[in-house]
């Protein structure tokens, strides 16, 4: 008995990420999404079983790479691509069927690292055995190191951003208790949830930065905030007072690189994230492009350099974000001091009024 699965366009909407690696968007999703629909409709295969299948294919690719011959390199590259297709399918099936789990996410992450290490050692080992060139041994170390660096850096950046958000939300809760202030919303979340607003605000923000407008972040926040509220009002009535305060932790980065905003808007129309050389593209260059064109050394070196460049760019963006974070906390402290001073002034006025009333009563 087949499951009741939506149409292919609806499956795309439910399973595909709003922003993804260009390799996934252009070369994987067109194949993976229809397979996800067929798998979910006609089989009872679980996401974890698909994850195991991706690992087995990955180890099969490693076995081909270890042979060293160019024919085996081409076979290994094709099998590795199929392995990555399955790796993308497990999450899509989990989202479509509601079978996702915390353990499944852990399994997927660990198996990805095992596959990369196995293929790196096999590919470079096979080439070393064929040529005797010691550079392949060093390249195996470099590939494993860069893959680990990418994901460790990603995790630490996520933790840092989470800490900044947590502190800002704590300050906002304190302010809300003090004067019933509005909730807080982060610009990154609004942009991620509202791609159409993202494009519009990027173009306006870029024009404002190019003209030297000092009100860029306010315009951006107002545009995206209004889009978010309009979307919410489709399902429920939202009073103007319930609109969240938008905190932009990338304000300085946006103001320094206005051209980047236009470039990102162009990519966003096609669901492509601006981190063009991430762990995914690095793996594909080493294990697919290099073997297919018989340029393992060249593809690995170029991909490794580009990966480091993009990682440094992310670190630089994080540095600017921490500066925005510091300014945001200073603004909260300033508002708190002003609120305390106003409360103290009101208290003195009330005390003075009570004393005057008491004197008049005695008189």
């Amino acid at each position: 008995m087949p499951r009741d699965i939506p149409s292919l366009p609806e499956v795309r909407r439910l399973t595909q990420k709003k922003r993804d690696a260009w390799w996934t968007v252009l070369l994987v999703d067109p194949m993976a999404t229809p397979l996800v629909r067929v798998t979910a409709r006609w089989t009872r295969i679980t996401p974890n079983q698909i994850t195991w299948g991706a690992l087995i294919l990955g180890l099969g690719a490693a076995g081909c790479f270890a042979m060293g011959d160019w024919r085996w390199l081409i076979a290994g590259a094709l099998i590795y691509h199929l392995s990555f297709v399955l790796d993308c399918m497990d999450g899509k099936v989990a989202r479509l069927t509601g079978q996702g789990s915390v353990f499944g996410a852990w399994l997927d992450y660990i198996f990805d690292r095992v596959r990369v290490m196995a293929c790196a050692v096999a590919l470079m080992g096979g080439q070393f055995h064929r040529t005797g060139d010691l550079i392949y041994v060093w390249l195996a170390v470099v590939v494993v190191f860069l893959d680990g660096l990418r994901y460790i850096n990603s995790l630490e950046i996520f933790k840092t951003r989470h800490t900044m958000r947590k502190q800002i939300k704590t300050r906002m809760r304190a302010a809300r208790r003090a004067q019933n202030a509005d909730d807080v919303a982060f610009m990154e979340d609004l942009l991620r949830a509202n791609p159409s607003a993202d494009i519009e605000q990027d173009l306006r923000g870029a024009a404002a930065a190019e003209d030297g407008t000092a009100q860029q972040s306010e315009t951006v926040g107002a545009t995206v905030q209004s889009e978010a509220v309009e979307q919410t009002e489709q399902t429920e009535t939202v009073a103007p007072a319930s609109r969240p305060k938008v905190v932009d932790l990338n304000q300085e980065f946006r103001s320094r690189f206005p051209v980047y905003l236009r470039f990102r808007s162009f990519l966003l129309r096609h669901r492509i994230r601006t981190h063009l050389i991430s762990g995914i593209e690095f793996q594909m260059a080493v294990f697919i492009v290099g073997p297919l064109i018989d340029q393992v050394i060249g593809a690995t070196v170029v991909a490794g350099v580009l990966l480091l460049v993009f990682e440094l760019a992310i670190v630089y963006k994080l540095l600017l974000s921490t500066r925005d974070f510091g300014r945001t906390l200073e603004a909260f402290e300033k508002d708190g001091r002003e609120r305390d001073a106003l409360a103290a002034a009101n208290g003195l006025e009330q005390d003075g009024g009570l004393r005057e009333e008491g004197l008049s009563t005695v008189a």
Side-chain angles (χ1 to χ4, degrees), residues 161-288:
R161 292 187 180 278
H162 176 74
T163 299
M164 292 191 295
R165 287 167 171 246
K166 186 176 180 180
Q167 291 189 31
I168 289 175
K169 289 181 178 180
T170 300
R171 298 294 182 96
M172 289 301 297
R173 291 191 188 100
R176 186 167 61 247
R177 287 194 297 268
Q179 60 176 30
N180 193 28
D182 295 332
D183 291 334
V184 62
F186 291 95
M187 179 70 71
E188 293 174 276
D189 295 337
L190 296 179
L191 300 185
R192 189 177 296 110
N194 299 274
S196 59
D198 191 12
I199 295 173
E200 179 182 355
Q201 71 88 17
D202 277 350
L203 295 178
R204 294 184 182 181
E210 290 169 355
D211 294 339
T213 303
Q215 301 296 327
Q216 176 189 355
S217 63
E218 286 80 0
T219 302
V220 170
T223 302
V224 180
Q225 182 178 350
S226 63
E227 290 283 347
V229 172
E230 288 176 5
Q231 184 182 23
T232 306
E233 287 176 344
Q234 294 177 1
T235 56
E236 60 178 326
T237 302
V238 179
S242 66
R243 295 186 179 185
K245 178 179 179 180
V246 177
V247 175
D248 187 3
L249 294 180
N250 290 313
Q251 178 180 347
E252 184 172 349
F253 183 83
R254 297 175 195 278
S255 64
R256 290 194 179 195
F257 303 98
V259 176
Y260 161 82
L261 300 179
R262 293 182 179 273
F263 177 64
R264 188 186 64 179
S265 294
F266 170 78
L267 294 179
L268 184 62
R269 295 187 184 98
H270 304 283
R271 295 197 305 113
I272 298 175
R273 63 190 182 194
T274 53
H275 193 180
L276 295 179
I277 307 298
S278 64
I280 292 175
E281 291 80 13
F282 175 68
Q283 293 176 35
M284 303 309 138
V286 175
F287 302 128
I288 296 180

Side-chain angles (χ1 to χ4, degrees), residues 29 63 143 160 194 263:
D29 279 350
V143 170
T160 302
N194 299 274
F263 177 64

Side-chain angles (χ1 to χ4, degrees), residues 68-352:
D69 183 75
W70 67 271
R71 296 179 182 85
W72 286 105
L73 290 184
I74 293 176
L78 296 178
I79 294 174
Y80 192 90
H81 182 68
L82 292 177
S83 172
F84 186 69
V85 171
L86 286 184
D87 186 40
C88 293
M89 284 179 59
D90 55 7
K92 289 179 170 58
V93 171
R95 287 189 289 272
L96 184 62
T97 62
Q99 293 178 300
S101 65
V102 175
F103 178 76
W106 174 86
L107 195 71
D108 182 56
Y109 177 83
I110 295 299
F111 281 4
D112 284 350
R113 308 283 69 74
V114 171
R115 180 179 58 191
V116 169
M117 288 189 290
C119 286
V121 172
L123 176 62
M124 302 308 172
Q127 294 306 297
F128 172 73
H129 183 267
R130 183 177 67 87
T131 65
D133 194 340
L134 194 61
I135 190 175
Y136 289 106
V137 177
W138 290 108
L139 284 181
V141 176
V142 168
V143 170
V144 174
F145 170 76
L146 289 180
D147 180 75
L149 175 66
R150 161 62 191 145
Y151 285 94
I152 291 174
N153 186 43
S154 175
L155 177 61
E156 291 303 315
I157 287 178
F158 172 80
K159 289 167 60 177
T160 302
R161 292 187 180 278
H162 176 74
T163 299
M164 292 191 295
R165 287 167 171 246
K166 186 176 180 180
Q167 291 189 31
I168 289 175
K169 289 181 178 180
T170 300
R171 298 294 182 96
M172 289 301 297
R173 291 191 188 100
R176 186 167 61 247
R177 287 194 297 268
Q179 60 176 30
N180 193 28
D182 295 332
D183 291 334
V184 62
F186 291 95
M187 179 70 71
E188 293 174 276
D189 295 337
L190 296 179
L191 300 185
R192 189 177 296 110
N194 299 274
S196 59
D198 191 12
I199 295 173
E200 179 182 355
Q201 71 88 17
D202 277 350
L203 295 178
R204 294 184 182 181
E210 290 169 355
D211 294 339
T213 303
Q215 301 296 327
Q216 176 189 355
S217 63
E218 286 80 0
T219 302
V220 170
T223 302
V224 180
Q225 182 178 350
S226 63
E227 290 283 347
V229 172
E230 288 176 5
Q231 184 182 23
T232 306
E233 287 176 344
Q234 294 177 1
T235 56
E236 60 178 326
T237 302
V238 179
S242 66
R243 295 186 179 185
K245 178 179 179 180
V246 177
V247 175
D248 187 3
L249 294 180
N250 290 313
Q251 178 180 347
E252 184 172 349
F253 183 83
R254 297 175 195 278
S255 64
R256 290 194 179 195
F257 303 98
V259 176
Y260 161 82
L261 300 179
R262 293 182 179 273
F263 177 64
R264 188 186 64 179
S265 294
F266 170 78
L267 294 179
L268 184 62
R269 295 187 184 98
H270 304 283
R271 295 197 305 113
I272 298 175
R273 63 190 182 194
T274 53
H275 193 180
L276 295 179
I277 307 298
S278 64
I280 292 175
E281 291 80 13
F282 175 68
Q283 293 176 35
M284 303 309 138
V286 175
F287 302 128
I288 296 180
V289 177
L292 285 179
I293 64 176
D294 197 21
Q295 292 293 328
V296 174
I297 296 177
T300 302
V301 171
V302 171
V305 170
L306 290 176
L307 177 67
L308 287 176
V309 168
F310 274 86
E311 290 304 303
L312 290 175
I314 290 178
V315 172
Y316 177 68
K317 185 177 179 181
L318 177 65
L319 173 63
L320 298 184
S321 181
T322 58
R323 295 177 180 177
D324 288 325
F325 170 69
R327 285 190 287 268
T328 301
L329 292 186
E330 290 177 0
F332 285 149
E333 293 175 358
K334 180 180 178 181
D335 291 343
R337 289 193 298 267
E338 292 177 352
R339 187 168 58 250
D340 293 341
L342 181 61
N346 290 336
L348 291 175
E349 291 179 0
Q350 292 176 0
D351 291 343

